[in-house]
């Protein structure tokens, strides 16, 4: 029987190794897997590379993980957020590395990893300093930048509803990066508000098919992010 | 001379959005545009975090924490809205499906180069978000901004001094003083604030301007 | 008011020009836009390039369009089907050009066009004769083939349900290539079994957002394909 | 000697599919495998036209024309199934998410090259479908085929003579005569049909075979 449910948050994040690349879902405060981030904090892995759209707010959650010196590098489109402080401090002190990636390129690079592609050419950032040092190719009368796939060892994401095979649905814009990240990591770990019987999710309404999910933990009342 | 207020710049740009258009409004001044679209026009707003058919802000107390826009503000959905993931949202942007992107600008060059993401100030970390994807991909890029910086320095230039968001993408500029088209023959003033003449406008602009034969006063 | 409905099949296909590239949805008999193909036959455009997974069956629908000599070239992964005859005849007589593309590459090339990408590297077909003459790049210890985007002037697709903005849902495996093709063509023309009020489709259940759709014709009882 | 029937080849391969595996069954012989998965194992079947969690054929009269598999046969959905579009189906295949692809084979080389899409016969047009994507992308490629062609010619060769589907991808071969692993040290016979010895098997094989120390009789 295929059953991806685990019984504790500690089990959910077990085995994450030092130096791992962790994809973390969420855009603003929507879809942030708060309890999984807390579990990662408790777990102790360090020297991490974190891929996320933002670099945390306040001093909790991802910001706390960074403040503890556990994040070596962040790959991110918009590290500054309303209320972000920890990233700025670490950046000014040169204690964290930043790879700044345009948001669509960030998402597309993860999709390329998910899809088994070797890379792609995008017009985004062509002719700007974010393309410096990258391969430029002129195609169909326009400059494109070569971008490589971006794969995670682990993805941490939040879902609305799940079944034991790992089929997922999301809630409105909490969906954001989650479907792409789920498919782009070797081990995808999901916290779900609700776990339903197999067959209870309409096959046409599944957003993330279970094949992209490895572990599932039930977190019925997640704490709000960014507080 | 009667320069436009920020709301008036937004209202002026709103007048040019056709019925049925797919539009992405950038952070800041452009977000005001939604308040001024003429009645009877159905405009479909895109948000890069996965919404097409975004509605206005909810009434106080009716905010849904899972329904936010790209500026992380609470929003609603219009009837006919669709929700999708980030990668698909950027397919729409990069792939030329968004018809109009109305963006803020720090600088615009006479050839339509846009700089709106970084002042190259190294004292704080850079952030780009979806600005480059939108600038590279939307069918029409309109910039809404004050004509000059706070210190009076022109923001419309022969060449941008700030790092580019994308080269040669802006087709139209709406400022508090003028509406200017970026054409193959250079910058063409379509509208000027009443009381202003081309010489005065040119004095506040860092690139050569030409007045359209059919130019009109800039009014809302 | 944004209303993509047109009132006749002739209006739906109006303006398709000679020499156009037409993406046609369907896999097997599921999701084939039969009435739109008939309208294209009646419309008269010729010298067409057709992109479709199969090259028609029997002598009706797409096979009929080909038999009329209207298709110059077909881009396709599996031109032979149970019951296909017309393609074989034309191919043997060298009266049609075939570009054979692996099914996943076909789909991914259309997606690249939809996404504004300049091309991508895929491991599919590397080391095979379908990669002959193509750029090969060694990335991450493996050979990849460069593939260019594949854009349509027109896409013809079948949906289950639509609203006047062109938001679409599909029926089970009739979905197949339609969401990708809808996004990859300059003009996307949809026949829908049902047209509902704006707002009647759950925003989270929309499969093809209306931004990818240009014209919509109501065909409540489509004829089965392949007969 | 007791060579296996086609159903027995399928049954033998089915025994090696672990509980909870994501599996794509190729056209022909591999489709029989689903009939022989040992009870108690939950196997999730993928179909490249957009199904994960495909169930068996429906009873006569209950066919749904909109629910077919990659061979265009009517199928059903298992509880827990998901439907998606073609591009996403191939993300699963090309991206290494499918754990086992069980494919038919025309020829397999001693280094795991697979030829199963074309005999290079130019009298009829070529067709490839999803064969190359699956062969290039699934985690484990197992080939199920008769040990020799109808004319007795070996199908396991030093080098394929037919056009390749993908180079160096096959890890295991199930035939009517043997189960053979493709290893870095060459072809290793894990199981042989009762009554057959290595010399006899080698006589029907176009590449050198080595017998595993712990080889066993091939039974279902």
């Amino acid at each position: 029987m295929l059953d991806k449910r685990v019984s504790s948050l500690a089990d959910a994040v077990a085995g994450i190794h030092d130096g791992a690349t962790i994809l973390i879902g969420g855009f603003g405060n929507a879809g942030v897997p708060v309890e999984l981030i807390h579990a990662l904090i408790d777990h102790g892995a360090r020297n991490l590379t974190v891929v996320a759209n933002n670099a945390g707010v306040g001093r909790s959650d991802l910001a706390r993980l960074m403040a503890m010196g556990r994040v070596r590098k962040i790959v991110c489109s918009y590290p500054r957020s309303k209320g972000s402080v920890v990233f700025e401090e670490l950046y000014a002190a040169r204690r964290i590395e930043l790879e700044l990636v345009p948001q669509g390129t960030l998402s597309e690079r993860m999709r390329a990893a998910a899809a088994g592609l070797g890379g792609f050419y995008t017009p985004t950032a062509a002719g700007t300093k974010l393309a410096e040092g990258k391969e430029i190719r002129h195609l169909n009368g326009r400059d494109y930048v070569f971008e490589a796939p971006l794969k995670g060892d682990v993805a941490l994401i939040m879902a609305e509803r799940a079944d034991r095979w790992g089929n997922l649905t999301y809630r409105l814009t909490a969906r954001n990066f989650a479907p792409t990240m789920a498919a782009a990591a070797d081990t995808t770990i999901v916290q779900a508000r609700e776990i339903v019987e197999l067959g209870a999710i309409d096959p046409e309404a599944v957003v993330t098919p279970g094949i992209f999910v490895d572990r599932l933990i039930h977190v019925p009342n997640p704490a709000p992010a960014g507080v | 001379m009667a320069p436009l207020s920020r709301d008036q710049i937004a209202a002026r740009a709103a007048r040019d959005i056709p019925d049925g258009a797919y539009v992405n409004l950038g952070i800041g001044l452009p977000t005001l545009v939604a308040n001024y679209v003429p009645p009877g026009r159905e405009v479909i707003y895109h948000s890069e975090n996965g919404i097409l058919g975004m509605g206005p802000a909810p009434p106080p107390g009716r905010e849904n924490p899972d329904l936010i826009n790209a500026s992380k503000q609470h929003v609603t959905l219009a009837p006919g809205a669709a929700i999708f993931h980030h990668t698909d949202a950027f397919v729409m942007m990069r792939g030329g499906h968004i018809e109009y992107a109305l963006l803020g600008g720090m600088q615009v060059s006479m050839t339509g180069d846009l700089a709106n993401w970084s002042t190259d100030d190294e004292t704080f970390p850079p952030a780009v978000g979806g600005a480059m994807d939108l600038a590279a991909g939307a069918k029409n890029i309109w910039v809404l901004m004050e004509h000059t910086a706070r210190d009076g320095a022109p923001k419309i230039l022969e060449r941008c001094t700030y790092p580019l968001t994308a080269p040669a993408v802006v087709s139209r500029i709406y400022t508090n003083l003028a509406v200017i088209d970026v054409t193959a023959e250079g910058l063409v003033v379509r509208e000027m604030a009443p009381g202003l003449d081309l010489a005065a406008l040119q004095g506040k602009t860092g690139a050569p301007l030409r007045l359209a034969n059919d130019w009109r006063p800039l009014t809302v």
Side-chain angles (χ1 to χ4, degrees), chain B residues 35 40 48 55 66 68 95 99 131 158-159 174 182 191 214:
Chain B
N35 302 331
E48 53 256 51
D66 289 319
I68 58 175
E99 295 171 293
E158 293 203 355
R159 201 170 297 183
Y174 296 90
V182 181
E191 300 181 17
D214 58 348

Side-chain angles (χ1 to χ4, degrees), chain A residues 8 12 73 88:
Chain A
S8 72
K73 177 179 174 179
E88 281 85 338

Side-chain angles (χ1 to χ4, degrees), chain B residues 72-147:
Chain B
K72 285 119 185 179
Q73 297 159 324
H74 296 289
V75 293
T76 55
L77 297 180
I83 293 288
F84 34 86
H85 61 60
H86 243 85
T87 309
D88 279 350
F90 280 82
V91 164
M92 295 177 193
M93 291 158 74
R94 201 194 307 103
H97 307 282
I98 305 291
E99 295 171 293
Y100 299 90
L102 276 59
L103 304 176
M106 295 170 176
Q107 296 177 336
V108 177
S109 83
M110 58 189 288
T111 54
D113 296 354
L114 172 64
N116 74 348
W117 73 283
S118 165
T119 58
D120 243 354
D121 177 350
E122 297 201 349
T123 60
F124 65 113
V128 63
M132 286 189 179
D133 304 279
L134 198 52
K139 252 185 219 139
N140 298 284
I141 307 285
W142 293 350
V143 168
L144 282 64
M145 63 181 188
E146 303 288 326
H147 202 88

Side-chain angles (χ1 to χ4, degrees), chain A residues 50 52-58 60-64 66-67 74-81 83-88 90 96 98, chain B residues 72 125:
Chain A
V50 167
N53 190 63
N54 306 106
V57 294
S60 60
D61 310 340
L62 176 55
R64 175 140 176 262
M66 293 192 299
I74 188 151
V75 183
C76 175
S77 90
Y78 213 83
R80 299 194 310 264
S81 300
S84 67
V85 285
V86 170
F87 173 77
E88 281 85 338
L90 293 169
I96 195 162
L98 169 66
Chain B
K72 285 119 185 179

Side-chain angles (χ1 to χ4, degrees), chain A residues 77-109:
Chain A
S77 90
Y78 213 83
R80 299 194 310 264
S81 300
K82 199 176 145 190
S84 67
V85 285
V86 170
F87 173 77
E88 281 85 338
E89 291 165 9
L90 293 169
Y91 186 83
R94 298 175 188 273
R95 286 181 50 220
I96 195 162
E97 186 185 336
L98 169 66
E99 181 179 343
L100 189 72
V101 182
Q103 201 170 125
T105 301
L106 185 70
S107 194
E108 190 70 20
R109 285 180 61 195

